[in-house]
Amino acid sequence: MRSLQSEVEQRGTRIFELIDQHPGSLFSKAGFYQRMMALSMRDEQFKVQMFRFVDVLPSLRKSGDIIQHLEEYFAGMRNGFAPVIQTGVRVARFVPWISAFILRRNVSGMARQFIAGKNCADVMKTLRKRHAKKIGFTVDLLGEAVLSEKEADEYAARCLDLLECLARETQGWTDPLGKNSELFPVVNLSVKISALYSQMNPADPTDAIAHLTPKLRPILRRARELGAFINFDMESYAHKNITLELFKTTFGEGEFKDWPDAGIVIQAYLRDAEADLRKLIDWGGARGTRFTVRLVKGAYWDFETIKSRQNGWNCPVYFQKPESDLNFEALSRLLLENESIVTAAFGSHNVRSIAHAQALADELGIDRSRFEFQLLYGMAGPIKRALVEMGYRVREYCPVGELLPGMSYLVRRLLENTSNEGFLRAKFSENVSAAELLRDPKELIRQNRANLPEATIPAIAEDRHPKNGASIEPPPGDIYENSPLVNFVYQESQEKMRIALREVRNRFGEKYPLVIAGEKVWTDKLTPSVNPSAPKEVVGYVAEAGIPEAERAVKAARAAFGKWSRTPFEERARLLEGAAAIMDRRRYELAALEVFEVGKPWAEADGDIREAIDFCRFYAERMRQIGRPRLTQHVPGEESYQHYWPRGVALVIAPWNFPIAILCGMVSAALVTGNTVIMKPSEQSIICGAMLMEIFQEAGVPPGVLNFLSGRGSVIGAHLVDHQDVDLIAFTGSREVGLRIWESAGITRPGQRELKRVVCEMGGKNPVIIDSDADLDEAITDSIYSAFGYQGQKCSALSRLILLDENYDRVMERLLSAARSLRVGNSEEPGIMVGPVIDEAAYKRIQEYIEIGKSEATLAYQAKEVPPEGYFIPPTIFTGVKPDMRIAREEIFGPVLSVIKVPDLDEAFEVANGTDYALTAGFFSRSPANIDRAKAEIEAGNVYVNRSCTGAIVGRHPFGGFKMSGGGTKAGGADYLLQFLLPRVVTENVTRHGFAPEEVPEYRDEFL
Ligand SMILES: Cc1cc2nc3c(=O)[nH]c(=O)nc-3n(C[C@H](O)[C@H](O)[C@H](O)COP(=O)(O)OP(=O)(O)OC[C@H]3O[C@@H](n4cnc5c(N)ncnc54)[C@H](O)[C@@H]3O)c2cc1C
């Protein structure tokens, strides 16, 4: 008996022979597309620019805009094609409309390469031709990202229409193999689950399934009546578990339990794939009705690797291409071995993967009419033809829709077809030999491993994604690794959070002391902290400090300063790392506490704890970098060393909106630099403050070095700011209080040793500009999140959306329906985006602003349904806002968005810069020239291009603004610690009678 490998080779060779009998190109259409692909494969810079140009083109309406973008993308290219392109650009300048027309036609042609038709009537022309060639179809509706329930309902309606049309038009069509045709209905529709529900949140599968089931049912019912097949496509990893769960729920019970014409996709590039497939097969066995699995490798490899690296998540996909190939083969076996339960559809263009499935089916004695091969429209025509000739069932995946919504699909295909790793490129562009292409992936993995030292194997993905930037010096943010965010896509994470919420709830009402000089201090007053989602619930109580406790705290801090300031910075850094480790251990519990105490949605609460951990680790590393006295300059005969001393007693006054992160950031910076600290949390987040104190105590902070005072800002805060023995004030909060502190600290009082240093972070009135060529899927999703995430209570939140006349209507239509679809509710529920505002005072103040808005501008949208109890403000959008109106100038700190319409980009920048604040700003555009302008001109401490304007990450986005947003400090940045330090230089003349040592050490530790 021959081995499976030789069977694979034999079948593979046969496929190649058949391909070579009808030499065709890789893609069905030649011309412009072929040329572009050839150029892209030769030049990475061209490829990036070309893909970006293709991405923006459909959204450009005027010829002039097209030419301008062409010029911006290609004119400056420094490569072999530059002269050709530059000539093209010059010609285009003279005859813009002709050039624009030609360009648009060529790019549309390129898209038509992969999009089978605009609508059903259009696609039927293709399907008929394929049918004549014995190729079946599955049709997929292309769509923009679904941002609202309106758009989701439209998608569902289009699916129904398409089903009707396909069924009508294919009446009388027969199965090409005429055998086992009942397993393969003629009409086959591929559905994208994320397009049916706009608020799908990985943390909340129950909500997603509850919303998706009623939308799917009419489609499935109609499909069943029409004898059609429905397939659930698989999208990014964030949606995978929900899609699997939805499939099992929908087809596991009731109406559709005995319906066999349903399928789902398994992506072999996922490490989870085998476990998922095994569970599906078990489920199918128990269900007792057949179903189908389309096995693919997966279309989002680049996206998944980028996303997981950005968030510090375990990467869900394999790093090496042969690993995906091997897994595809292992899963092929699993599918075919369970043929009595599941029908297999192999979705691949890779001849090795296809030949392997064929050989395996033969080995297991499975007739070739009982499974099928599926390939994409517009690709690998010769392979399809070969498979038909060999007597296999072939189905083509045919996307239907308009060019603009088809862009992300097109870009995925372009990426796939130019990928260095791809089979099609290797076969059709690089003419790699059949023998090489048919090699066993196991062998390739073995070979890769043999060629690499053991330690570097996990780092293969790193090689593929070199760090940004070309400098050899690592940038400051690279000195440590950010802690990963919790990935709520996993059931385990969701369960841990639920348990933590239960446990924290069980501790409601507990009392916490002040901590002064390491001792617990109780006073005769207790301050309650309530749950803003349910104000009758008291999360806990903390003893309230008055002036006597404030005095004791200053004394304790002053007394502890001498020793702490001389404690080696390494020890201080380890204290921070110890605190970070404890926060990591208590991560879910702390996040749950934030959900209750300040109404943060799950992911936001987790992000806050992550940031606190990052602050500790980043500042610890930073201190190690700057802690040692360092030679200032090489000069003979003299040694000068600069180093730092701590300033003294630091008062930390923090806000409630990032109740652990900001408090911890300021405290850890003060501690690691050798200052002693009085920590005063916001009155609305005192339990979080008490927890942070507990954490630092457990980490071993010496008595008096960190003191915890909870009390009223107007009493103890004001007293301490003015105190002669306080040397530094680190404050984050409102402009009103910040300015008072700034002013008061400027007064030198009797007995004061130092000029007080104020580290001051205040609010913002942050603008986002959406340019006329912006990607609206992205711009609207991110604007909604920036404005309404955590109820607009982030100092970085978007509050002024600046739109150009030109695309105002288009943006507003989608923006308003996206806002209408937002989930408002108790933050304890997973997946809530808009929870309560912090307290009654905030609630009233925001309501007042809404009334002001109603009198100044036009109320364009206000949510109607919010929970009856709790401090819930409905998301609110005003239009017709002018830059000088109060709602456009004053910080509201709530879910209220002002939309300002401007005639052009010049005015957009003017309006963006025309407030007292300069904290964050956002700009959405696909014009390189306009992006450059935004980078240069927007007045903000943090300018974000083509992404949300909130969510700064320690080390990556040093955070803080100027003008009335703050004193220009950058929390989480390389320079932040310097504000907590006094620089000092010691110079020694080391010359003795004209003799000086030649060697001078770079660092000297003796005067630390
Ligand atoms: C009919 C059909 C339906 C499809 N439906 C879906 C769907 O619902 N969901 C979906 O996600 N995709 C889907 N795809 C897309 C499919 O995932 C890609 O077309 C496919 O991955 C290309 O694989 P291949 O076997 O044709 O080519 P090959 O060239 O053999 O494989 C390329 C694939 O290998 C993987 N890969 C690339 N680089 C690496 C690396 N460094 N390490 C590990 N793996 C790597 C990627 O998945 C890449 O797409 C479908 C494809 C077809 C044909």
Side-chain angles (χ1 to χ4, degrees):
M1 211 176 108
R2 292 199 324 182
S3 71
L4 183 63
Q5 174 59 21
S6 63
E7 291 292 332
V8 172
E9 282 169 13
Q10 195 222 339
R11 276 165 186 75
T13 311
R14 178 69 191 135
I15 299 174
F16 284 127
E17 279 166 14
L18 289 170
I19 291 174
D20 294 340
Q21 277 172 20
H22 306 276
S25 70
L26 161 56
F27 311 107
S28 58
K29 295 191 177 74
F32 180 74
Y33 177 70
Q34 292 280 27
R35 286 200 300 278
M36 288 302 108
M37 297 315 266
L39 283 180
S40 299
M41 288 184 220
R42 266 163 46 205
D43 187 281
E44 186 63 26
Q45 193 201 359
F46 176 82
K47 173 173 157 178
V48 170
Q49 294 303 81
M50 205 272 282
F51 286 10
R52 288 181 168 189
F53 183 67
V54 165
D55 176 58
V56 69
L57 186 68
S59 70
L60 303 176
R61 279 144 192 250
K62 296 187 228 141
S63 307
D65 287 346
I66 295 178
I67 302 310
Q68 186 200 321
H69 280 75
L70 182 74
E71 190 164 345
E72 289 176 17
Y73 277 90
F74 296 105
M77 280 186 65
R78 302 172 306 277
N79 58 25
F81 323 113
V84 184
I85 290 163
Q86 275 158 7
T87 312
V89 169
R90 267 197 302 278
V91 172
R93 258 185 238 141
F94 289 113
V95 277
W97 68 269
I98 296 185
S99 305
F101 172 77
I102 294 171
L103 262 175
R104 208 190 270 283
R105 204 187 55 191
N106 277 328
V107 173
S108 301
M110 195 150 121
R112 273 197 297 279
Q113 165 87 40
F114 301 111
I115 300 174
K118 276 189 194 151
N119 48 39
C120 182
D122 203 19
V123 80
M124 277 313 301
K125 291 179 215 153
T126 307
L127 302 189
R128 282 193 196 99
K129 280 188 213 152
R130 297 294 188 272
H131 184 60
K133 291 182 176 164
K134 299 191 170 176
I135 294 176
F137 67 85
T138 178
V139 172
D140 151 67
L141 266 179
L142 292 171
E144 290 160 301
V146 162
L147 308 184
S148 65
E149 285 310 276
K150 178 171 167 270
E151 292 175 4
D153 291 344
E154 282 165 11
Y155 177 81
R158 285 171 60 217
C159 283
L160 274 171
D161 285 350
L162 192 58
L163 269 178
E164 297 291 345
C165 169
L166 292 171
R168 194 176 56 240
E169 296 294 327
T170 57
Q171 262 176 23
W173 287 23
T174 49
D175 182 71
L177 299 192
K179 222 171 145 194
N180 288 314
S181 56
E182 70 286 357
L183 301 181
F184 304 95
V186 169
V187 175
N188 183 316
L189 181 71
S190 289
V191 177
K192 293 241 168 341
I193 296 306
S194 74
L196 285 168
Y197 180 41
S198 63
Q199 305 300 305
M200 221 158 116
N201 185 316
D204 199 353
T206 313
D207 169 81
I209 290 167
H211 281 84
L212 285 162
T213 322
K215 292 192 191 182
L216 264 173
R217 244 183 237 126
I219 300 174
L220 300 178
R221 233 170 250 152
R222 193 61 191 134
R224 190 172 192 172
E225 284 161 11
L226 295 169
F229 182 100
I230 298 292
N231 191 76
F232 288 11
D233 278 4
M234 197 57 88
E235 302 170 69
S236 63
Y237 190 67
H239 297 322
K240 186 212 56 168
N241 286 346
I242 290 180
T243 308
L244 283 166
E245 215 38 58
L246 179 72
F247 187 77
K248 290 187 209 160
T249 314
T250 314
F251 298 107
E253 56 206 38
E255 191 178 347
F256 302 107
K257 190 169 191 289
D258 59 349
W259 189 45
D261 298 331
I264 189 163
V265 173
I266 289 284
Q267 297 157 314
Y269 66 7
L270 291 182
R271 293 164 200 270
D272 295 357
E274 185 183 335
D276 288 337
L277 182 55
R278 284 189 186 280
K279 282 188 215 147
L280 260 180
I281 291 171
D282 288 349
W283 164 87
R287 177 182 178 236
T289 310
R290 288 186 80 79
F291 69 106
T292 298
V293 164
R294 178 199 298 153
L295 181 62
V296 302
K297 282 169 204 159
Y300 305 85
W301 190 86
D302 292 86
F303 173 82
E304 301 295 1
T305 45
I306 291 170
K307 193 88 194 148
S308 54
R309 280 172 64 90
Q310 281 185 351
N311 292 328
W313 291 334
N314 286 335
C315 189
V317 297
Y318 288 109
F319 291 143
Q320 294 187 62
K321 165 74 165 54
E323 291 178 303
S324 295
D325 293 338
L326 184 62
N327 202 31
F328 189 93
E329 296 188 0
L331 300 178
S332 300
R333 178 176 283 280
L334 194 53
L335 278 174
L336 291 173
E337 283 177 348
N338 288 282
E339 201 279 333
S340 60
I341 297 174
V342 58
T343 304
F346 301 100
S348 174
H349 309 112
N350 182 322
V351 173
R352 158 82 206 188
S353 307
I354 292 171
H356 175 268
Q358 292 180 353
L360 202 57
D362 279 0
E363 186 186 283
L364 297 169
I366 297 169
D367 190 84
R368 56 186 66 180
S369 63
R370 292 190 66 81
F371 57 92
E372 68 180 2
F373 291 102
Q374 298 190 353
L375 296 93
L376 299 179
Y377 172 79
M379 284 163 64
I383 302 179
K384 289 173 200 159
R385 199 166 36 231
L387 290 173
V388 171
E389 274 182 48
M390 291 168 86
Y392 286 97
R393 194 184 296 279
V394 175
R395 191 182 294 277
E396 201 172 55
Y397 183 97
C398 298
V400 177
E402 295 290 338
L403 186 55
L404 180 62
M407 268 309 128
S408 58
Y409 179 80
L410 174 60
V411 170
R412 278 208 300 279
R413 294 288 77 81
L414 295 179
L415 263 176
E416 190 170 312
N417 291 332
T418 51
S419 157
N420 289 332
E421 303 281 356
F423 176 87
L424 291 180
R425 173 173 175 172
K427 162 69 187 148
F428 292 94
S429 291
E430 287 167 6
N431 296 321
V432 175
S433 71
E436 187 61 26
L437 292 170
L438 292 174
R439 281 182 68 186
D440 187 341
K442 240 189 287 139
E443 229 189 84
L444 292 169
I445 295 171
R446 221 174 287 135
Q447 183 185 314
N448 282 354
R449 283 183 191 274
N451 290 345
L452 288 166
E454 197 60 29
T456 61
I457 290 169
I460 282 173
E462 305 273 324
D463 296 345
R464 241 177 260 291
H465 288 277
K467 296 207 162 168
N468 286 337
S471 70
I472 298 164
E473 278 272 292
D478 272 3
I479 56 170
Y480 85 120
E481 208 153 291
N482 294 96
S483 153
L485 287 168
V486 166
N487 191 347
F488 284 110
V489 86
Y490 300 115
Q491 226 177 1
E492 192 196 354
S493 317
Q494 297 160 17
E495 198 43 40
K496 280 186 185 165
M497 189 67 184
R498 261 187 228 106
I499 292 169
L501 286 163
R502 270 201 302 277
E503 285 174 358
V504 171
R505 185 174 271 289
N506 285 340
R507 297 207 310 262
F508 271 13
E510 272 185 22
K511 301 182 179 67
Y512 302 89
L514 310 174
V515 178
I516 301 173
E519 284 172 16
K520 291 181 180 164
V521 175
W522 296 96
T523 59
D524 50 7
K525 260 191 177 165
L526 285 172
T527 313
S529 182
V530 302
N531 176 0
S533 294
K536 285 186 197 128
E537 293 175 356
V538 177
V539 179
Y541 299 87
V542 179
E544 184 179 322
I547 304 295
E549 289 76 30
E551 282 296 325
R552 273 176 68 185
V554 177
K555 274 206 189 76
R558 177 58 64 196
F561 176 68
K563 185 156 178 226
W564 184 244
S565 64
R566 288 188 305 276
T567 301
F569 62 79
E570 179 54 38
E571 213 173 290
R572 302 195 303 248
R574 275 200 228 115
L575 171 76
L576 265 55
E577 286 164 343
I582 297 165
M583 285 191 272
D584 220 3
R585 192 188 77 218
R586 296 178 60 179
R587 182 147 185 175
Y588 286 90
E589 174 210 338
L590 295 169
L593 172 61
E594 291 199 5
V595 169
F596 288 123
E597 194 176 25
V598 297
K600 280 215 168 203
W602 287 21
E604 303 279 345
D606 173 68
D608 196 57
I609 310 307
R610 183 257 201 141
E611 193 176 350
I613 294 171
D614 278 354
F615 275 134
C616 287
R617 295 190 179 144
F618 180 70
Y619 292 149
E621 272 312 303
R622 215 36 221 154
M623 192 61 213
R624 290 188 178 107
Q625 288 192 329
I626 61 169
R628 298 175 70 192
R630 184 164 189 194
L631 188 70
T632 56
Q633 195 178 44
H634 290 280
V635 58
E638 193 177 272
E639 286 181 5
S640 288
Y641 287 85
Q642 172 160 343
H643 78 129
Y644 300 98
W645 274 355
R647 287 180 170 268
V649 173
L651 169 64
V652 170
I653 305 178
W656 48 263
N657 61 343
F658 292 90
I660 296 189
I662 295 184
L663 185 65
C664 178
M666 294 192 286
V667 163
S668 57
L671 288 177
V672 81
T673 43
N675 299 282
T676 52
V677 179
I678 301 164
M679 149 168 109
K680 190 199 126 11
S682 160
E683 286 144 67
Q684 287 81 357
S685 56
I686 47 182
I687 312 296
C688 287
M691 285 306 117
L692 190 65
M693 186 67 219
E694 254 184 41
I695 288 160
F696 269 102
Q697 283 193 295
E698 187 187 334
V701 69
V705 169
L706 177 62
N707 304 277
F708 169 55
L709 280 193
S710 163
R712 282 193 288 155
S714 55
V715 179
I716 57 164
H719 180 76
L720 289 170
V721 165
D722 295 346
H723 203 288
Q724 66 190 38
D725 256 337
V726 168
D727 304 295
L728 179 146
I729 301 145
F731 168 81
T732 305
S734 72
R735 172 178 172 176
E736 186 195 348
V737 178
L739 291 185
R740 235 184 290 139
I741 292 175
W742 194 268
E743 189 183 337
S744 172
I747 301 168
T748 311
R749 295 180 172 79
Q752 190 171 320
R753 261 169 293 224
E754 294 284 340
L755 297 179
K756 282 187 210 246
R757 179 61 175 248
V758 180
V759 181
C760 186
E761 307 260 4
M762 300 180 293
K765 188 71 191 168
N766 309 304
V768 163
I769 302 171
I770 300 185
D771 200 357
S772 57
D773 66 349
D775 177 340
L776 294 192
D777 289 353
E778 209 170 70
I780 293 172
T781 310
D782 290 345
S783 297
I784 288 275
Y785 174 70
S786 302
F788 300 118
Y790 190 39
Q791 301 79 272
Q793 297 178 115
K794 301 177 190 176
C795 41
S796 53
L798 155 66
S799 65
R800 296 179 299 142
L801 184 64
I802 303 172
L803 301 181
L804 305 184
D805 241 340
E806 198 177 332
N807 62 353
Y808 181 85
D809 292 339
R810 266 184 298 151
V811 176
M812 282 313 292
E813 195 202 330
R814 296 191 75 193
L815 182 87
L816 292 178
S817 41
R820 254 177 223 119
S821 309
L822 283 175
R823 289 182 66 196
V824 183
N826 188 329
S827 311
E828 202 175 337
E829 287 171 39
I832 286 291
M833 172 131 155
V834 188
V837 299
I838 189 68
D839 61 9
E840 197 176 349
Y843 180 84
K844 287 189 179 147
R845 192 177 36 76
I846 299 165
Q847 290 290 17
E848 279 167 24
Y849 269 111
I850 290 175
E851 290 311 310
I852 293 169
K854 285 182 190 166
S855 67
E856 287 182 320
T858 307
L859 179 66
Y861 171 69
Q862 183 163 50
K864 295 212 170 49
E865 282 178 29
V866 295
E869 280 176 45
Y871 305 121
F872 290 94
I873 299 263
T876 304
I877 299 178
F878 288 105
T879 50
V881 179
K882 300 284 172 238
D884 57 348
M885 290 176 178
R886 282 187 65 192
I887 55 166
R889 284 187 292 113
E890 295 171 20
E891 196 181 23
I892 302 174
F893 228 62
V896 180
L897 178 65
S898 296
V899 181
I900 303 173
K901 182 154 82 164
V902 294
D904 54 31
L905 214 50
D906 289 338
E907 197 164 321
F909 286 128
E910 207 173 296
V911 169
N913 291 341
T915 65
D916 294 346
Y917 298 96
L919 188 53
T920 71
F923 185 61
F924 288 90
S925 176
R926 284 178 285 186
S927 153
N930 292 348
I931 290 174
D932 286 350
R933 237 190 111 180
K935 287 177 181 169
E937 289 182 27
I938 295 185
E939 291 173 10
N942 290 72
V943 177
Y944 294 101
V945 179
N946 289 331
R947 51 151 288 169
S948 67
C949 66
T950 62
I953 294 172
V954 172
R956 201 176 301 171
H957 316 118
F959 185 79
F962 45 95
K963 286 162 82 176
M964 288 304 127
S965 292
T969 62
K970 282 289 184 197
D975 311 329
Y976 188 70
L977 294 186
L978 298 182
Q979 302 165 101
F980 294 78
L981 291 163
L982 293 164
R984 191 167 173 264
V985 174
V986 176
T987 302
E988 182 184 350
N989 170 12
V990 288
T991 317
R992 300 282 185 277
H993 300 291
F995 162 76
E998 273 177 21
E999 294 282 313
V1000 180
E1002 175 107 14
Y1003 294 99
R1004 277 204 184 278
D1005 295 333
E1006 52 272 32
F1007 49 91
L1008 266 182

